[in-house]
Amino acid sequence: MEGSVITYLANGFVVFFTPEHVIAAVIGAVLGLIVGAMPGIGSLAGCALLLPLTYAFDPTTAIIMLGAVYYSNMYGGSFSAILLNIPGDSPAICTALDGYPMATKRHRPGQALFTANMASFIGGTIGILILTMLGPALARVGLAFGPSEMTVLLLIAMTSITWLVGENPIKGVVITIVGILVACIGMDTLSGVPRYDFDNLHLLGGLPFTAFIIGAIGFAQVIEIANDRHKTQTVDPSMKLSIRGSLLTKHDLRRLIPPSLRSGALGTFVGVLPGAGATTGAFLGYSLNKHFKSEDAFGTGAVEGIAASEAANNAAAAGAFAPLLALGIPGSGTGAVLLGGLMMWGLNPGPLLFVNDPDFTWGLIASLFFSNIFALVVAVSVIPFLIKILTVPIRFLIPVVITICVVGAYSSSFSMYGVLVMLISGIVCYFLAKAGYPTAPMILSFVLASLLESNMRKAFIVSGGSLDIFVQRPISCALTIVFLIFVGTPIIRALIRRFRKKPEAV
């Protein structure tokens, strides 16, 4: 089997290395980096906008370009997340948690960007290799994850939010619940009943995800900077900015590789799951690596934190191609756009696609290897220019960042409603942070809540309201046990500590 895979991949490279396919991959990779770095657009809108332009292309050229856009978008999302604390796309939310502090408080912007790029490359390479060797088989595993399995997996993810609650667990739990409630605004996904709309037509569609995230993270940061605008510049304007000065030390590389490998494997698996996407992959990768030893605490500018998030979201982007090609099941909104493109070009995704159209499928897989390398080269090359953002005086930087926030929020809904949501969420989150409420748990619970609710309700509809559905199948049963361990361990530890203190008091 290995020999046949290598042969197919070699033929895929032969198909790919033609002028039109290489040019398509290069254009897609560059556009993906630009789109990823621009808040409010993201891979979904980027691929959707470019899809009509591919009508005149042959299917292989078209999918290579769109695949490169989707893939390199994961690289670009980290740029604004690290330099401006504004995630270019939702998978970069976790990157901002450590990337921005490393760039500003630790005064290592070049190393923060280089860490993100290297981790993206490692995670992406792992994802592509797994896709190459186990694509169809991995897709069938993903198909085994029904609503009950996805529910428990997301419950594990929600439980893992506890590492973000800060020093006050009560405030952390409260803000997590607030995030879940905010995610419930709008139409019920299954019954269509309005919830928390307050008779407002705009709220029927819920809060625009991108506008809310830009406000909660980016605009809140702008308000904080404006209130403390007299502080010194984060980067000395006279400092020589170069790629060599941004290189990681051997010690940094030793810190980067383990979380990148772990998140690469986990992210690929999450990318295969229906509806999970790169955002969930990045969050789970970040959460997983929080439980491993780290030189710096996560959230303070840790190399491990940036690596965990970036490796996971790139691997998830690669993994999403497995169910798309082998089963015709999109793993995310961007996957749905690509699926529409496949059908538009007259291709039928499914197990026979690898047999009936090997040039198409293996040409695409081969192009991902090239796009991964090319995106890394371009991303590293522009580091010196990107770092100059931090040398801009605060009085000039604030209006520029506000403009980016407004444009990004407007592009998410093409109306002033998105801008209004961005402004309100930014102001509210600023005051919440001042009151000691960590905003990260709210953001991540907001991201996962709708997916959790949808799968949980589907599971209960199938089971008629019985909890047995979570233990009837081997995968859901194993995940339920893991979830109970996650929930029960802190309680048991607290009881043990209390029990040990009683004899001392006597």
Side-chain angles (χ1 to χ4, degrees):
M1 180 65 184
E2 291 184 4
S4 62
V5 168
I6 294 174
T7 302
Y8 286 137
L9 183 61
N11 292 335
F13 277 108
V14 172
V15 172
F16 170 71
F17 280 114
T18 58
E20 62 270 21
H21 293 163
V22 172
I23 292 173
V26 169
I27 294 174
V30 172
L31 289 176
L33 286 169
I34 296 173
V35 166
M38 296 174 63
I41 299 182
S43 61
L44 175 58
C47 288
L49 292 172
L50 288 175
L51 185 60
L53 302 180
T54 64
Y55 287 164
F57 296 174
D58 67 87
T60 305
T61 305
I63 194 65
I64 284 175
M65 176 181 283
L66 293 179
V69 170
Y70 179 35
Y71 196 73
S72 60
N73 182 85
M74 300 298 119
Y75 279 84
S78 66
F79 294 168
S80 55
I82 290 173
L83 298 177
L84 301 175
N85 202 28
I86 305 174
D89 200 5
S90 55
I93 292 173
C94 289
T95 304
L97 298 177
D98 281 282
Y100 187 72
M102 184 174 176
T104 55
K105 296 180 181 178
R106 296 186 182 273
H107 307 288
R108 303 184 69 196
Q111 286 75 18
L113 288 168
F114 209 98
T115 298
N117 293 334
M118 285 301 301
S120 295
F121 177 76
I122 294 172
T125 301
I126 292 173
I128 298 169
L129 288 174
I130 294 176
L131 171 66
T132 302
M133 304 302 296
L134 303 172
L138 201 60
R140 287 191 290 271
V141 172
L143 192 62
F145 271 68
S148 60
E149 287 80 8
M150 288 298 298
T151 297
V152 185
L153 181 65
L154 290 166
L155 281 174
I156 293 173
M158 294 289 280
T159 305
S160 301
I161 290 179
T162 53
W163 50 259
L164 285 173
V165 298
E167 298 179 357
N168 192 324
I170 295 178
K171 287 185 176 181
V173 172
V174 169
I175 202 69
T176 300
I177 295 173
V178 170
I180 295 173
L181 289 174
V182 171
C184 291
I185 295 175
M187 301 287 287
D188 186 294
T189 55
L190 296 182
S191 66
V193 176
R195 301 184 301 191
Y196 308 122
D197 64 313
F198 303 102
D199 293 326
N200 186 296
L201 185 63
H202 290 293
L203 291 178
L204 287 175
L207 296 184
F209 174 79
T210 303
F212 178 80
I213 297 300
I214 290 175
I217 299 178
F219 191 66
Q221 181 69 31
V222 170
I223 299 174
E224 183 178 346
I225 293 175
N227 285 336
D228 198 16
R229 59 186 176 277
H230 301 297
K231 70 179 182 179
T232 57
Q233 194 71 34
T234 52
V235 174
D236 184 0
S238 63
M239 175 182 174
K240 186 177 180 181
L241 306 172
S242 64
I243 295 176
R244 177 174 293 184
S246 303
L247 293 176
L248 300 176
T249 64
K250 292 182 179 179
H251 180 64
D252 288 333
L253 287 173
R254 285 195 293 268
R255 296 173 59 186
L256 177 148
I257 291 175
S260 297
L261 295 176
R262 288 190 291 263
S263 286
L266 176 63
T268 305
F269 173 72
V270 174
V272 171
L273 303 179
T279 304
T280 306
F283 172 64
L284 286 174
Y286 194 92
S287 175
L288 169 70
N289 285 281
K290 181 65 173 62
H291 299 288
F292 288 86
K293 186 178 179 180
S294 173
E295 186 171 308
D296 300 312
F298 274 46
T300 64
V303 170
E304 295 85 353
I306 301 174
S309 173
E310 284 299 303
N313 64 44
N314 272 62
F321 282 98
L324 177 66
L325 297 176
L327 299 174
I329 299 175
S332 62
T334 309
V337 173
L338 296 178
L339 177 62
L342 294 178
M343 293 180 176
M344 179 185 71
W345 301 316
L347 297 168
N348 295 314
L352 294 180
L353 186 65
F354 283 82
V355 178
N356 296 335
D357 296 283
D359 289 349
F360 172 84
T361 52
W362 290 102
L364 169 62
I365 293 174
S367 74
L368 294 179
F369 284 95
F370 175 84
S371 299
N372 194 30
I373 297 173
F374 183 77
L376 174 66
V377 172
V378 175
V380 171
S381 300
V382 299
I383 284 178
F385 305 100
L386 292 172
I387 299 176
K388 289 184 179 180
I389 293 174
L390 295 180
T391 66
V392 177
I394 295 296
R395 65 181 182 276
F396 298 133
L397 184 62
I398 289 176
V400 171
V401 176
I402 290 176
T403 302
I404 294 173
C405 290
V406 171
V407 172
Y410 183 85
S411 64
S412 67
S413 60
F414 294 102
S415 70
M416 290 303 296
Y417 170 59
V419 178
L420 182 62
V421 170
M422 182 273 293
L423 293 173
I424 294 175
S425 63
I427 294 170
V428 171
C429 287
Y430 169 76
F431 284 110
L432 284 174
K434 283 294 184 182
Y437 287 89
T439 55
M442 178 183 66
I443 294 168
L444 294 172
S445 62
F446 177 79
V447 171
L448 298 177
S450 58
L451 190 59
L452 172 63
E453 180 195 13
S454 175
N455 282 281
M456 182 179 291
R457 292 181 64 183
K458 288 176 183 176
F460 282 127
I461 289 173
V462 171
S463 67
S466 174
L467 291 172
D468 293 343
I469 192 171
F470 298 112
V471 294
Q472 287 177 346
R473 301 172 64 180
I475 297 177
S476 60
C477 183
L479 290 173
T480 300
I481 293 173
V482 172
F483 170 69
L484 293 175
I485 292 173
F486 268 52
V487 173
T489 300
I491 298 174
I492 295 173
R493 286 178 177 175
L495 292 175
I496 292 174
R497 284 196 297 267
R498 182 175 296 183
F499 179 77
R500 287 178 177 175
K501 288 180 180 179
K502 284 184 178 181
E504 295 176 4
V506 176

